[in-house]
């Protein structure tokens, strides 16, 4: 049928593809993660399949929309201005670079931190194909952010990204030191952020320090409650970790975590 358009929803390559009529009304959608086409009008099956053919992976399941789970009903009822799922890695840094007026040195630092968060964010986003869910730039009541929140079979992980800048990075019990720069309180922050997340989501949360582009990384031997990881070995750690959540739990926790009122009541 002429006039059908295919429009994405969510982060590029991750969300659904909606098939719409010229008036904007949806007649079907393709869930890439589940490889399933949900038809709202059976009479348009062939036209929908033709419109989606360039985007399909193998032979998808085709049928009426499945009955939504409680987590999906919560997601569908969430207003867009409360939804954190579209956030990009380093979202506030993008705004500061585009609309702020930092000096040359500050701009260079912001770009380095943004590149680190984008690299780590891309590695975590790739886990969505393996039943993980990811949020970026999650706000906290104290004005700080959780760089990345990862939810999946092995549990919930609160990730702080450290830009190594090809220097030696030392991760201590309370502070992180990059090269010869002054120590930073990243460890204290991510420990506190994970504790806040555990209360907000009512589930255990593991704090993680992800060091990007460092020449060497040294972690204090007494640091046992925080994971210290580096791309590209971070993703394999999560995919091989022992599952701790039942299959419905990650989606339920993700629906709760993506709502800003969970973090900023």
């Amino acid at each position: 049928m002429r006039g059908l358009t295919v429009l994405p929803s969510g982060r590029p390559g991750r969300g659904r593809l909606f098939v719409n009529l010229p008036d904007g009304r949806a007649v079907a959608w393709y869930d890439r993660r589940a490889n399933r086409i949900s038809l709202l009008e059976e009479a348009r099956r062939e036209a929908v399949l033709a419109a989606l053919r360039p985007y399909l992976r193998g032979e998808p399941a085709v049928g009426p929309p499945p009955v939504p789970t409680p987590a999906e009903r919560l997601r569908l009822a969430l207003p867009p201005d409360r939804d954190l799922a579209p956030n990009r890695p380093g979202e506030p840094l993008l705004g500061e670079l585009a609309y702020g007026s930092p000096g040359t040195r500050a701009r260079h630092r912001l770009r380095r931190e943004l590149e680190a968060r984008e690299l780590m964010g891309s590695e975590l986003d790739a886990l969505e194909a393996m039943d993980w869910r990811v949020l970026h730039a999650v706000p906290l009541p104290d004005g700080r952010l959780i760089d990345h929140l990862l939810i999946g079979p092995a549990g919930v992980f609160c990730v702080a990204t450290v830009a190594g800048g090809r220097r030696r990075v030392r991760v201590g019990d309370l502070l992180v030191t990059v090269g010869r720069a002054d120590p930073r309180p990243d460890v204290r922050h991510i420990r506190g952020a994970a504790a806040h997340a555990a209360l907000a989501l009512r589930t255990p949360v593991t704090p993680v320090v992800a060091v990007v582009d460092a020449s060497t990384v040294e972690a204090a031997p007494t640091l046992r409650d925080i994971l210290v990881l580096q791309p590209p070995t971070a993703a394999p750690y999560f995919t091989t970790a022992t599952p701790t959540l039942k299959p419905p739990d990650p989606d339920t926790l993700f629906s709760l975590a993506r709502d800003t009122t969970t973090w900023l009541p």
Side-chain angles (χ1 to χ4, degrees), residues 233-261:
T233 59
Y237 172 86
F238 298 117
T239 56
T240 58
T242 303
T244 60
L245 296 179
K246 298 177 181 178
D249 293 343
D251 280 334
T252 301
L253 289 169
F254 180 68
S255 294
L256 181 63
R258 67 190 296 176
D259 189 341
T260 55
T261 61

PDB file of all heavy atoms in Angstrom, residues 233-261:
ATOM      1  N   THR A 233      36.857  -4.644  27.891  1.00  0.00           N
ATOM      2  CA  THR A 233      36.620  -5.852  28.686  1.00  0.00           C
ATOM      3  C   THR A 233      35.449  -5.695  29.650  1.00  0.00           C
ATOM      4  O   THR A 233      35.119  -6.639  30.360  1.00  0.00           O
ATOM      5  CB  THR A 233      37.885  -6.214  29.494  1.00  0.00           C
ATOM      6  OG1 THR A 233      38.216  -5.117  30.358  1.00  0.00           O
ATOM      7  CG2 THR A 233      39.055  -6.503  28.564  1.00  0.00           C
ATOM      8  N   ALA A 234      34.826  -4.524  29.664  1.00  0.00           N
ATOM      9  CA  ALA A 234      33.717  -4.309  30.595  1.00  0.00           C
ATOM     10  C   ALA A 234      32.497  -5.135  30.196  1.00  0.00           C
ATOM     11  O   ALA A 234      31.896  -5.815  31.019  1.00  0.00           O
ATOM     12  CB  ALA A 234      33.367  -2.829  30.658  1.00  0.00           C
ATOM     13  N   ALA A 235      32.120  -5.057  28.927  1.00  0.00           N
ATOM     14  CA  ALA A 235      30.924  -5.782  28.477  1.00  0.00           C
ATOM     15  C   ALA A 235      31.029  -7.281  28.721  1.00  0.00           C
ATOM     16  O   ALA A 235      30.070  -7.888  29.229  1.00  0.00           O
ATOM     17  CB  ALA A 235      30.647  -5.487  27.005  1.00  0.00           C
ATOM     18  N   PRO A 236      32.163  -7.945  28.395  1.00  0.00           N
ATOM     19  CA  PRO A 236      32.256  -9.379  28.689  1.00  0.00           C
ATOM     20  C   PRO A 236      32.084  -9.695  30.168  1.00  0.00           C
ATOM     21  O   PRO A 236      31.568 -10.767  30.511  1.00  0.00           O
ATOM     22  CB  PRO A 236      33.666  -9.741  28.195  1.00  0.00           C
ATOM     23  CG  PRO A 236      33.956  -8.749  27.139  1.00  0.00           C
ATOM     24  CD  PRO A 236      33.309  -7.484  27.594  1.00  0.00           C
ATOM     25  N   TYR A 237      32.501  -8.790  31.050  1.00  0.00           N
ATOM     26  CA  TYR A 237      32.302  -9.052  32.480  1.00  0.00           C
ATOM     27  C   TYR A 237      30.814  -9.207  32.786  1.00  0.00           C
ATOM     28  O   TYR A 237      30.405 -10.139  33.487  1.00  0.00           O
ATOM     29  CB  TYR A 237      32.887  -7.925  33.328  1.00  0.00           C
ATOM     30  CG  TYR A 237      32.528  -8.085  34.790  1.00  0.00           C
ATOM     31  CD1 TYR A 237      33.306  -8.871  35.631  1.00  0.00           C
ATOM     32  CD2 TYR A 237      31.383  -7.491  35.316  1.00  0.00           C
ATOM     33  CE1 TYR A 237      32.957  -9.059  36.963  1.00  0.00           C
ATOM     34  CE2 TYR A 237      31.031  -7.677  36.642  1.00  0.00           C
ATOM     35  CZ  TYR A 237      31.816  -8.458  37.459  1.00  0.00           C
ATOM     36  OH  TYR A 237      31.455  -8.655  38.768  1.00  0.00           O
ATOM     37  N   PHE A 238      29.993  -8.283  32.266  1.00  0.00           N
ATOM     38  CA  PHE A 238      28.565  -8.325  32.574  1.00  0.00           C
ATOM     39  C   PHE A 238      27.885  -9.538  31.942  1.00  0.00           C
ATOM     40  O   PHE A 238      27.014 -10.153  32.548  1.00  0.00           O
ATOM     41  CB  PHE A 238      27.895  -7.037  32.102  1.00  0.00           C
ATOM     42  CG  PHE A 238      28.406  -5.802  32.787  1.00  0.00           C
ATOM     43  CD1 PHE A 238      29.055  -4.807  32.075  1.00  0.00           C
ATOM     44  CD2 PHE A 238      28.243  -5.633  34.149  1.00  0.00           C
ATOM     45  CE1 PHE A 238      29.541  -3.673  32.703  1.00  0.00           C
ATOM     46  CE2 PHE A 238      28.717  -4.500  34.798  1.00  0.00           C
ATOM     47  CZ  PHE A 238      29.370  -3.519  34.063  1.00  0.00           C
ATOM     48  N   THR A 239      28.265  -9.883  30.726  1.00  0.00           N
ATOM     49  CA  THR A 239      27.589 -10.984  30.041  1.00  0.00           C
ATOM     50  C   THR A 239      27.964 -12.345  30.621  1.00  0.00           C
ATOM     51  O   THR A 239      27.215 -13.308  30.444  1.00  0.00           O
ATOM     52  CB  THR A 239      27.914 -10.973  28.541  1.00  0.00           C
ATOM     53  OG1 THR A 239      29.336 -11.011  28.349  1.00  0.00           O
ATOM     54  CG2 THR A 239      27.368  -9.706  27.887  1.00  0.00           C
ATOM     55  N   THR A 240      29.100 -12.430  31.302  1.00  0.00           N
ATOM     56  CA  THR A 240      29.507 -13.718  31.883  1.00  0.00           C
ATOM     57  C   THR A 240      29.245 -13.795  33.387  1.00  0.00           C
ATOM     58  O   THR A 240      29.482 -14.835  33.991  1.00  0.00           O
ATOM     59  CB  THR A 240      31.003 -13.973  31.629  1.00  0.00           C
ATOM     60  OG1 THR A 240      31.781 -12.893  32.185  1.00  0.00           O
ATOM     61  CG2 THR A 240      31.288 -14.077  30.137  1.00  0.00           C
ATOM     62  N   ALA A 241      28.764 -12.707  33.982  1.00  0.00           N
ATOM     63  CA  ALA A 241      28.479 -12.708  35.419  1.00  0.00           C
ATOM     64  C   ALA A 241      27.296 -13.620  35.723  1.00  0.00           C
ATOM     65  O   ALA A 241      26.399 -13.818  34.891  1.00  0.00           O
ATOM     66  CB  ALA A 241      28.194 -11.282  35.903  1.00  0.00           C
ATOM     67  N   THR A 242      27.266 -14.154  36.919  1.00  0.00           N
ATOM     68  CA  THR A 242      26.203 -15.067  37.333  1.00  0.00           C
ATOM     69  C   THR A 242      24.862 -14.342  37.406  1.00  0.00           C
ATOM     70  O   THR A 242      24.754 -13.291  38.047  1.00  0.00           O
ATOM     71  CB  THR A 242      26.529 -15.670  38.714  1.00  0.00           C
ATOM     72  OG1 THR A 242      27.788 -16.334  38.646  1.00  0.00           O
ATOM     73  CG2 THR A 242      25.453 -16.648  39.138  1.00  0.00           C
ATOM     74  N   PRO A 243      23.821 -14.855  36.743  1.00  0.00           N
ATOM     75  CA  PRO A 243      22.499 -14.208  36.818  1.00  0.00           C
ATOM     76  C   PRO A 243      21.973 -14.174  38.255  1.00  0.00           C
ATOM     77  O   PRO A 243      22.099 -15.150  38.996  1.00  0.00           O
ATOM     78  CB  PRO A 243      21.617 -15.088  35.926  1.00  0.00           C
ATOM     79  CG  PRO A 243      22.577 -15.785  35.003  1.00  0.00           C
ATOM     80  CD  PRO A 243      23.822 -16.000  35.824  1.00  0.00           C
ATOM     81  N   THR A 244      21.399 -13.041  38.613  1.00  0.00           N
ATOM     82  CA  THR A 244      20.813 -12.882  39.946  1.00  0.00           C
ATOM     83  C   THR A 244      19.352 -12.451  39.886  1.00  0.00           C
ATOM     84  O   THR A 244      18.660 -12.487  40.903  1.00  0.00           O
ATOM     85  CB  THR A 244      21.593 -11.842  40.764  1.00  0.00           C
ATOM     86  OG1 THR A 244      21.551 -10.576  40.081  1.00  0.00           O
ATOM     87  CG2 THR A 244      23.045 -12.265  40.948  1.00  0.00           C
ATOM     88  N   LEU A 245      18.883 -12.016  38.706  1.00  0.00           N
ATOM     89  CA  LEU A 245      17.508 -11.560  38.553  1.00  0.00           C
ATOM     90  C   LEU A 245      16.705 -12.558  37.725  1.00  0.00           C
ATOM     91  O   LEU A 245      17.227 -13.169  36.798  1.00  0.00           O
ATOM     92  CB  LEU A 245      17.473 -10.185  37.860  1.00  0.00           C
ATOM     93  CG  LEU A 245      18.117  -9.019  38.605  1.00  0.00           C
ATOM     94  CD1 LEU A 245      18.024  -7.749  37.772  1.00  0.00           C
ATOM     95  CD2 LEU A 245      17.456  -8.801  39.968  1.00  0.00           C
ATOM     96  N   LYS A 246      15.427 -12.704  38.054  1.00  0.00           N
ATOM     97  CA  LYS A 246      14.539 -13.529  37.256  1.00  0.00           C
ATOM     98  C   LYS A 246      14.201 -12.799  35.959  1.00  0.00           C
ATOM     99  O   LYS A 246      14.234 -11.559  35.908  1.00  0.00           O
ATOM    100  CB  LYS A 246      13.268 -13.837  38.050  1.00  0.00           C
ATOM    101  CG  LYS A 246      13.536 -14.620  39.341  1.00  0.00           C
ATOM    102  CD  LYS A 246      12.259 -14.840  40.119  1.00  0.00           C
ATOM    103  CE  LYS A 246      12.537 -15.596  41.420  1.00  0.00           C
ATOM    104  NZ  LYS A 246      11.313 -15.779  42.230  1.00  0.00           N
ATOM    105  N   PRO A 247      13.835 -13.514  34.885  1.00  0.00           N
ATOM    106  CA  PRO A 247      13.618 -12.884  33.577  1.00  0.00           C
ATOM    107  C   PRO A 247      12.718 -11.651  33.568  1.00  0.00           C
ATOM    108  O   PRO A 247      13.041 -10.675  32.884  1.00  0.00           O
ATOM    109  CB  PRO A 247      13.027 -14.028  32.740  1.00  0.00           C
ATOM    110  CG  PRO A 247      13.652 -15.247  33.321  1.00  0.00           C
ATOM    111  CD  PRO A 247      13.749 -14.987  34.803  1.00  0.00           C
ATOM    112  N   PRO A 248      11.591 -11.592  34.322  1.00  0.00           N
ATOM    113  CA  PRO A 248      10.772 -10.369  34.246  1.00  0.00           C
ATOM    114  C   PRO A 248      11.368  -9.180  34.999  1.00  0.00           C
ATOM    115  O   PRO A 248      10.973  -8.033  34.762  1.00  0.00           O
ATOM    116  CB  PRO A 248       9.438 -10.791  34.897  1.00  0.00           C
ATOM    117  CG  PRO A 248       9.498 -12.273  35.037  1.00  0.00           C
ATOM    118  CD  PRO A 248      10.947 -12.626  35.136  1.00  0.00           C
ATOM    119  N   ASP A 249      12.295  -9.438  35.919  1.00  0.00           N
ATOM    120  CA  ASP A 249      12.763  -8.373  36.812  1.00  0.00           C
ATOM    121  C   ASP A 249      13.487  -7.227  36.110  1.00  0.00           C
ATOM    122  O   ASP A 249      13.271  -6.058  36.465  1.00  0.00           O
ATOM    123  CB  ASP A 249      13.643  -8.957  37.914  1.00  0.00           C
ATOM    124  CG  ASP A 249      12.858  -9.847  38.872  1.00  0.00           C
ATOM    125  OD1 ASP A 249      11.612  -9.743  38.861  1.00  0.00           O
ATOM    126  OD2 ASP A 249      13.484 -10.628  39.607  1.00  0.00           O
ATOM    127  N   PRO A 250      14.396  -7.488  35.137  1.00  0.00           N
ATOM    128  CA  PRO A 250      15.084  -6.355  34.509  1.00  0.00           C
ATOM    129  C   PRO A 250      14.134  -5.346  33.869  1.00  0.00           C
ATOM    130  O   PRO A 250      14.332  -4.126  34.004  1.00  0.00           O
ATOM    131  CB  PRO A 250      15.982  -7.030  33.464  1.00  0.00           C
ATOM    132  CG  PRO A 250      16.266  -8.370  34.040  1.00  0.00           C
ATOM    133  CD  PRO A 250      14.992  -8.776  34.713  1.00  0.00           C
ATOM    134  N   ASP A 251      13.097  -5.823  33.176  1.00  0.00           N
ATOM    135  CA  ASP A 251      12.151  -4.894  32.550  1.00  0.00           C
ATOM    136  C   ASP A 251      11.374  -4.105  33.593  1.00  0.00           C
ATOM    137  O   ASP A 251      11.113  -2.905  33.417  1.00  0.00           O
ATOM    138  CB  ASP A 251      11.185  -5.651  31.645  1.00  0.00           C
ATOM    139  CG  ASP A 251      11.797  -5.991  30.293  1.00  0.00           C
ATOM    140  OD1 ASP A 251      12.713  -5.262  29.859  1.00  0.00           O
ATOM    141  OD2 ASP A 251      11.378  -6.982  29.678  1.00  0.00           O
ATOM    142  N   THR A 252      11.004  -4.756  34.690  1.00  0.00           N
ATOM    143  CA  THR A 252      10.282  -4.052  35.758  1.00  0.00           C
ATOM    144  C   THR A 252      11.155  -2.977  36.379  1.00  0.00           C
ATOM    145  O   THR A 252      10.703  -1.835  36.596  1.00  0.00           O
ATOM    146  CB  THR A 252       9.826  -5.056  36.833  1.00  0.00           C
ATOM    147  OG1 THR A 252       8.990  -6.048  36.235  1.00  0.00           O
ATOM    148  CG2 THR A 252       9.072  -4.350  37.943  1.00  0.00           C
ATOM    149  N   LEU A 253      12.400  -3.302  36.665  1.00  0.00           N
ATOM    150  CA  LEU A 253      13.321  -2.323  37.245  1.00  0.00           C
ATOM    151  C   LEU A 253      13.621  -1.204  36.264  1.00  0.00           C
ATOM    152  O   LEU A 253      13.741  -0.031  36.653  1.00  0.00           O
ATOM    153  CB  LEU A 253      14.618  -3.017  37.664  1.00  0.00           C
ATOM    154  CG  LEU A 253      14.515  -3.934  38.887  1.00  0.00           C
ATOM    155  CD1 LEU A 253      15.774  -4.775  39.037  1.00  0.00           C
ATOM    156  CD2 LEU A 253      14.266  -3.114  40.158  1.00  0.00           C
ATOM    157  N   PHE A 254      13.751  -1.538  34.986  1.00  0.00           N
ATOM    158  CA  PHE A 254      14.021  -0.513  33.974  1.00  0.00           C
ATOM    159  C   PHE A 254      12.861   0.469  33.870  1.00  0.00           C
ATOM    160  O   PHE A 254      13.066   1.682  33.760  1.00  0.00           O
ATOM    161  CB  PHE A 254      14.286  -1.178  32.625  1.00  0.00           C
ATOM    162  CG  PHE A 254      14.587  -0.205  31.516  1.00  0.00           C
ATOM    163  CD1 PHE A 254      15.764   0.529  31.520  1.00  0.00           C
ATOM    164  CD2 PHE A 254      13.707  -0.029  30.466  1.00  0.00           C
ATOM    165  CE1 PHE A 254      16.050   1.431  30.508  1.00  0.00           C
ATOM    166  CE2 PHE A 254      13.985   0.868  29.448  1.00  0.00           C
ATOM    167  CZ  PHE A 254      15.160   1.599  29.467  1.00  0.00           C
ATOM    168  N   SER A 255      11.630  -0.045  33.908  1.00  0.00           N
ATOM    169  CA  SER A 255      10.466   0.839  33.850  1.00  0.00           C
ATOM    170  C   SER A 255      10.443   1.794  35.032  1.00  0.00           C
ATOM    171  O   SER A 255      10.069   2.966  34.899  1.00  0.00           O
ATOM    172  CB  SER A 255       9.178   0.010  33.816  1.00  0.00           C
ATOM    173  OG  SER A 255       9.092  -0.735  32.631  1.00  0.00           O
ATOM    174  N   LEU A 256      10.846   1.304  36.193  1.00  0.00           N
ATOM    175  CA  LEU A 256      10.911   2.162  37.374  1.00  0.00           C
ATOM    176  C   LEU A 256      12.055   3.160  37.261  1.00  0.00           C
ATOM    177  O   LEU A 256      11.898   4.349  37.579  1.00  0.00           O
ATOM    178  CB  LEU A 256      11.084   1.290  38.617  1.00  0.00           C
ATOM    179  CG  LEU A 256      11.157   1.991  39.975  1.00  0.00           C
ATOM    180  CD1 LEU A 256       9.857   2.730  40.267  1.00  0.00           C
ATOM    181  CD2 LEU A 256      11.449   0.984  41.086  1.00  0.00           C
ATOM    182  N   ALA A 257      13.213   2.711  36.772  1.00  0.00           N
ATOM    183  CA  ALA A 257      14.398   3.564  36.735  1.00  0.00           C
ATOM    184  C   ALA A 257      14.297   4.675  35.692  1.00  0.00           C
ATOM    185  O   ALA A 257      14.899   5.732  35.866  1.00  0.00           O
ATOM    186  CB  ALA A 257      15.634   2.709  36.468  1.00  0.00           C
ATOM    187  N   ARG A 258      13.563   4.450  34.612  1.00  0.00           N
ATOM    188  CA  ARG A 258      13.527   5.447  33.546  1.00  0.00           C
ATOM    189  C   ARG A 258      12.638   6.646  33.903  1.00  0.00           C
ATOM    190  O   ARG A 258      12.640   7.673  33.196  1.00  0.00           O
ATOM    191  CB  ARG A 258      13.045   4.812  32.238  1.00  0.00           C
ATOM    192  CG  ARG A 258      11.614   4.358  32.257  1.00  0.00           C
ATOM    193  CD  ARG A 258      11.258   3.521  31.040  1.00  0.00           C
ATOM    194  NE  ARG A 258      11.355   4.268  29.800  1.00  0.00           N
ATOM    195  CZ  ARG A 258      11.176   3.746  28.578  1.00  0.00           C
ATOM    196  NH1 ARG A 258      10.937   2.448  28.469  1.00  0.00           N
ATOM    197  NH2 ARG A 258      11.246   4.490  27.517  1.00  0.00           N
ATOM    198  N   ASP A 259      11.858   6.553  34.982  1.00  0.00           N
ATOM    199  CA  ASP A 259      10.966   7.630  35.409  1.00  0.00           C
ATOM    200  C   ASP A 259      11.744   8.585  36.319  1.00  0.00           C
ATOM    201  O   ASP A 259      12.261   8.194  37.356  1.00  0.00           O
ATOM    202  CB  ASP A 259       9.776   7.032  36.167  1.00  0.00           C
ATOM    203  CG  ASP A 259       8.685   8.054  36.456  1.00  0.00           C
ATOM    204  OD1 ASP A 259       8.972   9.268  36.405  1.00  0.00           O
ATOM    205  OD2 ASP A 259       7.564   7.632  36.752  1.00  0.00           O
ATOM    206  N   THR A 260      11.802   9.856  35.939  1.00  0.00           N
ATOM    207  CA  THR A 260      12.575  10.829  36.728  1.00  0.00           C
ATOM    208  C   THR A 260      12.059  10.958  38.153  1.00  0.00           C
ATOM    209  O   THR A 260      12.843  11.270  39.064  1.00  0.00           O
ATOM    210  CB  THR A 260      12.528  12.233  36.082  1.00  0.00           C
ATOM    211  OG1 THR A 260      11.155  12.625  35.905  1.00  0.00           O
ATOM    212  CG2 THR A 260      13.217  12.231  34.733  1.00  0.00           C
ATOM    213  N   THR A 261      10.768  10.694  38.376  1.00  0.00           N
ATOM    214  CA  THR A 261      10.251  10.834  39.741  1.00  0.00           C
ATOM    215  C   THR A 261      10.774   9.752  40.670  1.00  0.00           C
ATOM    216  O   THR A 261      10.669   9.879  41.888  1.00  0.00           O
ATOM    217  CB  THR A 261       8.710  10.791  39.737  1.00  0.00           C
ATOM    218  OG1 THR A 261       8.244   9.548  39.216  1.00  0.00           O
ATOM    219  CG2 THR A 261       8.138  11.924  38.894  1.00  0.00           C
TER     220      THR A 261
END
